[in-house]
């Protein structure tokens, strides 16, 4: 049969964008499917044990953590974003960057740091004891501590999204509210907040998903959650079936959250097709109000960045001689190398799938776009084992020799599965903002989809693409369980290096790799801010 | 579109191509030449600096390149299990006898043939069928404040379930492998029901919810939160020699009590290793075991990591020696593996978090 003819016939229903998207999705899902097919022997005994003894606690703890972290990150993220959008005061430019920086610190490292600060030998108790002879018994290693840390290290997700939404809102709306005699506060609660609702929920959803699949911090603080439970059932009790059952429940939970988020977004269109958005003239604040604004913005920066960094610096002074050696440079390079490849790949795939689902409004493409978020709802260890099983199968059964297994390719592959949602969110919001008008204009001038994509769409969402790469990069360098399981021999990353010292109860020694990790994060965040600035102009 | 397909194919090709590191290529060759090679692949849960240094010395001495993959014991076990005959690992090293026992039970290990090296290690701290051997061990001891507590009130692990300890016992989570092994040893000694009752009592006596690591337990003793902490001996050595002056202070205020001395002895756990079932490098693996057990390496383990050396000819470090001699639990550690899961489940059921 004539190939061209075949292609044209296929084109009727299935264009190449959709085709590629389906293939990509299949590959991304295959490892997860592999896991679920291993359910052949349903041994329910352990699961019953877990359901009876532990599941209520997992559900309780996970919901409490998700609920309160969601609430607090929303309060901090939205209020700081609003203040910075509307007002100008001393240091306000600094806070634009400063408020994002906590994102550079992995929550498990924040956990080490704060438990160190609050411990018996930590700075607070030590000072109370040595100076005032008073024995303080502080304790942060509990569920409140987990919420505290997640809040101060994840609120930037809400902040970033809320800020970019506020910056783009129509000034005329605000002015109308003013004309109708509403104060700033009233305008905020009656006009701005309802308008920004969906954007804010989007940010909070990211936070909640991150919290639900996080493993390091809750397990270090001894708080049992779904994620620690899955790990424990799977690896410690050695019961794959029961662990998968738990993972299914967790995924169900997360899909419910995503569903609610999508529902709340409804059919709203964000796209700004006219250029009449007047920029907001920021108000200058009086000294008194400036002080309040500075304090409000300073609190999250203090807890989420300055304090932990100071603690890490003081630890690194104790240990740098033992930790810094010639291998450190290689570890940094490794971390950087693997994260950049993972981030770029995840972004390319996110662009392809996102563009497909935008252009093809059918059920399939909607389904595809949902699938991309699956990985984010599955704990890293589960993905890692799925990827391992899948590639061992490919190597053994299909290729007949070891090609993929034991290579870095597996790590990259797993990172893409895990963090595709992050890239996808960024790209999707980019597409949302530009809408379809320009695309349709180009198509009506006779250009094809692909040409239009490269000539029109891509340049317009360039900011979102770079944003996607950066956010995914940031996630990957912080990632832990997946890295530990899949890395090949002699392959060390900064997060793994820090974790090992902490595991051996040598928290002070983990300071140097943690600081370097955070510095890389800061550089990436600064870059992100520059891109954002350009995008807004 | 045309631009995208080749790009994806190209990047996938590039990734597999350039990610196939040097080791990888060599392992493929190894399968063709099944005699001793110049490489050794280790899966290890331990990541102490001393291990790193000894491995470097082994490389220098033998010319063998050692490749190391580090992760948690359970993760590595799962890896070995999934990899099956394709595993690149030659040696599996962990900090827990129960996991070594599990690796053996899952058919992931093979017998160590070098009897001479095994004879250096007392029979109760290596596998009875020679599937693994320990190279160091630590005791699960009671830590108390030497200024405020008179050690004559201590006796056994079992005793800590007595109501007189109400609100005084500090211990970390039962999800920790050290406690899992302790529970497994209790089951071996007293049976399931007695262990269940013991855990009930222990949970009732806890000074606070289990949290933090072993060092945190001893800090809580000095802070006056509880009177006795169950912890591993070697952490005390590490605290006494810590870079942090406040930790040193805590270390110096802590004293050690070895429980169950009038009965079966104090529970210990080991760091040990076994050769993987599908190792292609048995010769080097055995050389490595021998190297880790030789007197020089053994002294370094005790002097730099404050562990007890498994080699019976090697003297313990001074700090460790100062804690006194003690009677080691007569239980053969290879028995731990089979009680491990049961113990974990009982702990869950009785609310030891």
């Amino acid at each position: 049969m004539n190939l061209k003819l075949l292609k044209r016939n296929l084109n009727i229903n299935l264009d190449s964008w959709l085709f590629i998207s389906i293939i990509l999705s299949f590959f991304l899902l295959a490892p997860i499917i592999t896991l679920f097919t291993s359910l052949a022997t349903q041994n329910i005994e352990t699961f019953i044990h877990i359901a009876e003894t532990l599941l209520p606690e997992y559900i309780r703890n996970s919901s409490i953590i998700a609920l309160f972290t969601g609430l607090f990150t929303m309060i901090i993220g939205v209020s700081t974003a609003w203040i910075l959008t509307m007002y100008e005061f001393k240091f306000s430019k600094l806070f634009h960057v400063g408020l994002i920086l906590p994102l550079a610190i992995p929550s498990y490292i924040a956990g080490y740091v704060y438990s160190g600060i609050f411990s018996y030998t930590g700075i607070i108790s030590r000072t109370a004891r040595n100076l005032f002879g008073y024995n303080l018994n502080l304790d942060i290693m509990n569920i409140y501590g987990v919420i505290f840390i997640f809040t101060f290290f994840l609120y930037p997700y809400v902040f970033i999204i809320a800020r970019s939404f506020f910056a783009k809102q129509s000034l005329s709306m605000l002015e109308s509210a003013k004309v109708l005699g509403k104060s700033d506060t009233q305008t905020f609660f009656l006009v701005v907040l309802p308008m920004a609702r969906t954007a804010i929920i989007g940010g909070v959803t990211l936070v909640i998903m991150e919290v639900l699949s996080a493993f390091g911090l809750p397990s270090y603080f001894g708080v049992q959650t779904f994620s620690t439970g899955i790990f424990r059932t799977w690896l410690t009790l050695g019961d794959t079936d029961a662990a998968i059952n738990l993972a299914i429940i967790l995924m169900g939970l997360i899909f419910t959250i995503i569903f609610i988020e999508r529902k709340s977004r409804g059919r709203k269109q964000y796209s700004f097709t006219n250029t009449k958005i007047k920029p907001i003239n920021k108000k200058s604040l009086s000294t008194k109000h400036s002080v309040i604004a500075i304090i409000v913005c300073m609190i999250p920066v203090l807890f989420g960045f300055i304090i932990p960094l100071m603690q890490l610096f003081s630890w690194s002074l104790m240990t740098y001689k033992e930790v810094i050696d010639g291998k450190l440079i290689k570890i940094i390079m490794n971390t950087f190398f693997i994260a950049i490849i993972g981030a770029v790949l995840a972004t390319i795939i996110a662009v392809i799938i996102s563009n497909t689902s935008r252009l093809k409004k059918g059920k399939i493409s909607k389904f595809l776009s949902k699938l991309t978020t699956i990985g984010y709802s599955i704990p890293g260890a589960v993905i890692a084992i799925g990827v391992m099983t899948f590639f061992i199968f490919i190597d053994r059964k299909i290729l007949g020799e070891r090609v993929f297994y034991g290579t870095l390719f597996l790590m990259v592959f797993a990172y893409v599965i895990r963090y595709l949602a992050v890239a996808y969110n960024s790209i999707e919001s980019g597409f949302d903002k530009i809408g379809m008008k320009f695309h349709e204009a180009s198509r009506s001038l006779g250009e094809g989809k692909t040409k239009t994509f490269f000539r029109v769409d891509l340049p317009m969402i360039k900011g979102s693409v770079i944003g996607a790469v950066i956010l995914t990069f940031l996630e990957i360098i912080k990632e832990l369980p997946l890295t530990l399981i899949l890395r090949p021999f002699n392959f060390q990353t900064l997060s793994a290096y820090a974790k090992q010292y902490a595991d051996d109860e040598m928290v002070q020694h983990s300071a140097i790799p943690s600081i370097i990790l955070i510095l890389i994060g800061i550089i990436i965040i600064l870059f992100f801010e520059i891109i954002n600035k350009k995008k807004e102009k | 579109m045309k631009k995208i397909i080749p790009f994806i194919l190209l990047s996938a090709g590039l990734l597999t191509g350039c990610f196939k590191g040097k080791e990888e290529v060599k392992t493929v060759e190894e399968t063709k030449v099944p005699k001793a090679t110049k490489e050794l692949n280790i899966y290890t849960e331990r990541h102490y600096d001393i291990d790193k240094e000894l491995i470097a010395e082994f490389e220098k001495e033998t010319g063998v390149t050692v490749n190391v993959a580090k992760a948690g014991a359970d993760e590595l076990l799962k890896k070995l299990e999934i990899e099956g005959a394709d595993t690149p690992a030659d040696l599996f090293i962990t900090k827990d006898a129960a996991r070594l026992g599990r690796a053996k039970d899952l058919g992931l290990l093979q017998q160590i043939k070098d009897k001479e090296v095994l004879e250096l290690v007392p029979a109760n701290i290596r596998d009875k069928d020679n599937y693994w051997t320990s190279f160091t061990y630590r005791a699960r001891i009671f830590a108390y404040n030497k200024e405020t507590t008179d050690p004559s009130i201590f006796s056994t692990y079992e005793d800590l379930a007595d109501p007189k300890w109400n609100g005084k016992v500090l211990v970390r989570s039962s999800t920790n492998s050290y406690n899992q092994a302790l529970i497994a040893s209790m089951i071996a000694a007293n049976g399931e029901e007695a262990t269940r009752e013991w855990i009930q009592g222990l949970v009732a006596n806890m000074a606070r919810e289990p949290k933090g690591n072993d060092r945190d337990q001893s800090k809580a003793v000095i802070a006056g939160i509880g009177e006795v902490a169950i912890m591993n001996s070697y952490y005390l050595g590490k605290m006494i020699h810590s870079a942090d002056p406040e930790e040193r202070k805590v270390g110096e205020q802590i004293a050690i009590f070895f429980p169950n001395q009038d009965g079966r002895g104090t529970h210990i756990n080991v760091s040990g290793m076994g050769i993987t079932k599908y190792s292609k490098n048995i010769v080097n693996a055995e050389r490595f075991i021998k190297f880790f057990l030789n007197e020089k390496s053994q002294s370094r383990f005790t002097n730099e990591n404050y562990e007890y050396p498994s080699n019976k000819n090697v003297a313990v470090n001074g700090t460790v020696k100062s804690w006194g001699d003690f009677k080691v639990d007569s239980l053969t550690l290879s028995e731990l593996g089979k009680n491990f899961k049961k113990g974990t489940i009982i702990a869950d059921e009785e609310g030891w978090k």
Side-chain angles (χ1 to χ4, degrees), chain A residues 55-106:
Chain A
L55 199 58
E57 198 190 349
Y58 291 164
I59 293 178
R60 194 176 60 236
N61 285 346
S62 287
S63 341
I64 292 175
I65 294 171
L67 186 74
F68 284 100
T69 310
L71 187 71
F72 295 148
T73 51
M74 185 169 77
I75 294 171
I76 296 177
V78 172
S79 60
T80 49
W82 178 247
I83 291 172
L84 288 183
T85 312
M86 295 301 290
Y87 306 110
E88 194 135 315
F89 50 94
K90 220 169 183 192
F91 310 123
S92 62
K93 287 219 170 60
L94 264 178
F95 281 123
H96 269 282
V97 183
L99 280 162
I100 305 179
L101 293 181
L103 217 51
I105 304 181

Side-chain angles (χ1 to χ4, degrees), chain A residues 139 232 396 405 450 487, chain B residues 1 70 83 86 211 348:
Chain A
D139 181 21
R232 168 175 163 73
R396 206 180 283 167
Y405 189 70
T450 307
R487 60 191 171 144
Chain B
M1 195 68 262
K70 298 173 197 166
E83 287 167 349
D86 293 333
K211 65 185 67 180
D348 285 344

Side-chain angles (χ1 to χ4, degrees), chain A residues 272-279 438:
Chain A
F272 298 93
T273 42
N274 56 17
T275 44
K276 279 187 207 141
I277 314 162
K278 281 196 262 172
F438 301 100

Side-chain angles (χ1 to χ4, degrees), chain A residues 16 20 49 126 129 139 231-232 234 236 240 396 402 404-405 409 450 485 487 490 504-505, chain B residues 1 16 19 47 67-68 70 74-75 78-79 83 86 172 175 211 213-215 219 246 348:
Chain A
S16 43
I20 289 182
H49 156 72
R126 167 189 312 198
R129 194 165 56 241
D139 181 21
F231 206 79
R232 168 175 163 73
W234 193 320
T236 310
T240 314
R396 206 180 283 167
R402 199 190 300 154
F404 292 105
Y405 189 70
F409 179 77
T450 307
I485 297 177
R487 60 191 171 144
N490 308 331
D504 288 337
E505 308 195 7
Chain B
M1 195 68 262
T16 37
F19 287 169
H47 16 68
N67 302 310
V68 180
K70 298 173 197 166
D74 291 323
E75 293 151 334
K78 194 87 203 169
K79 245 177 125 151
E83 287 167 349
D86 293 333
R172 71 199 283 187
T175 58
K211 65 185 67 180
N213 51 36
D214 272 17
R215 290 190 200 210
K219 288 177 192 173
E246 286 292 317
D348 285 344

Side-chain angles (χ1 to χ4, degrees), chain A residues 502-522:
Chain A
D503 273 357
D504 288 337
E505 308 195 7
M506 297 169 80
V507 178
Q508 295 95 338
H509 289 74
S510 71
I512 298 261
S514 300
I515 287 177
I516 299 169
L517 191 66
I518 293 164
L519 286 179
I520 295 177
I522 293 173

Side-chain angles (χ1 to χ4, degrees), chain A residues 39-319:
Chain A
L39 264 175
T41 52
Q42 257 296 4
N43 174 6
I44 206 84
E45 196 189 316
T46 315
F47 185 68
I48 290 175
H49 156 72
I50 289 163
E52 281 171 353
T53 59
L54 301 169
L55 199 58
E57 198 190 349
Y58 291 164
I59 293 178
R60 194 176 60 236
N61 285 346
S62 287
S63 341
I64 292 175
I65 294 171
L67 186 74
F68 284 100
T69 310
L71 187 71
F72 295 148
T73 51
M74 185 169 77
I75 294 171
I76 296 177
V78 172
S79 60
T80 49
W82 178 247
I83 291 172
L84 288 183
T85 312
M86 295 301 290
Y87 306 110
E88 194 135 315
F89 50 94
K90 220 169 183 192
F91 310 123
S92 62
K93 287 219 170 60
L94 264 178
F95 281 123
H96 269 282
V97 183
L99 280 162
I100 305 179
L101 293 181
L103 217 51
I105 304 181
S107 55
Y108 54 86
I109 290 178
Y112 305 148
V113 169
Y114 272 101
S115 66
I117 291 175
F118 280 89
S119 87
Y120 178 77
T121 51
I123 177 91
I124 302 175
S125 301
R126 167 189 312 198
T127 313
R129 194 165 56 241
N130 295 348
L131 258 97
F132 308 106
Y134 184 73
N135 237 344
L136 260 182
N137 285 330
L138 299 170
D139 181 21
I140 194 176
M141 299 182 87
N142 50 41
I143 194 165
Y144 309 109
V146 171
I147 294 170
F148 168 83
I149 287 172
F150 276 141
T151 298
F152 281 105
F153 294 86
L154 295 177
Y155 78 84
Y157 282 120
V158 184
F159 171 77
I160 292 172
I161 292 180
R163 187 185 56 172
S164 89
F165 188 87
F166 290 152
K168 292 206 169 61
Q169 71 199 323
S170 180
L171 183 66
S172 54
M173 289 262 233
L174 295 180
E175 280 168 350
S176 314
K178 284 276 171 56
V179 170
L180 292 168
K182 300 291 179 199
S183 70
D184 275 6
T185 322
Q186 281 170 322
T187 312
F188 176 72
F189 283 106
L190 296 173
V191 180
V192 178
L193 216 49
M195 261 171 53
R197 201 188 69 204
T198 49
I200 294 167
I201 292 176
V204 174
T205 308
L206 267 183
V207 170
I208 290 178
M209 281 163 77
E210 179 100 21
V211 164
L212 286 180
S213 59
F215 170 75
L217 174 65
S219 83
Y220 185 61
F221 276 23
V223 177
Q224 303 302 323
T225 63
F226 259 109
S227 189
T228 63
I230 291 170
F231 206 79
R232 168 175 163 73
T233 315
W234 193 320
L235 298 172
T236 310
L237 292 177
D239 197 316
T240 314
D241 296 344
I244 290 176
N245 285 341
L246 277 181
I248 290 173
I249 298 177
L250 177 64
M251 279 166 63
L253 253 169
I254 288 179
F255 272 108
T256 316
I257 295 166
I258 295 173
F259 180 74
I260 295 169
E261 194 254 341
R262 300 263 147 150
K263 265 277 172 284
S264 83
R265 202 191 290 178
R267 292 200 167 69
K268 285 197 186 85
Q269 288 285 333
Y270 292 126
S271 66
F272 298 93
T273 42
N274 56 17
T275 44
K276 279 187 207 141
I277 314 162
K278 281 196 262 172
I280 294 164
N281 287 318
K282 292 186 183 177
K283 264 195 222 165
S284 289
L285 285 178
S286 65
T287 322
K288 192 183 118 197
H289 285 116
S290 285
V291 172
I292 297 173
I294 289 173
I295 291 173
V296 171
C297 294
M298 198 59 206
I299 289 170
V301 181
L302 199 65
F303 285 112
F305 191 74
I306 295 174
I307 292 175
L309 212 61
M310 278 165 53
Q311 176 66 72
L312 285 172
F313 272 120
S314 95
W315 278 341
S316 55
L317 286 180
M318 289 178 193
T319 56

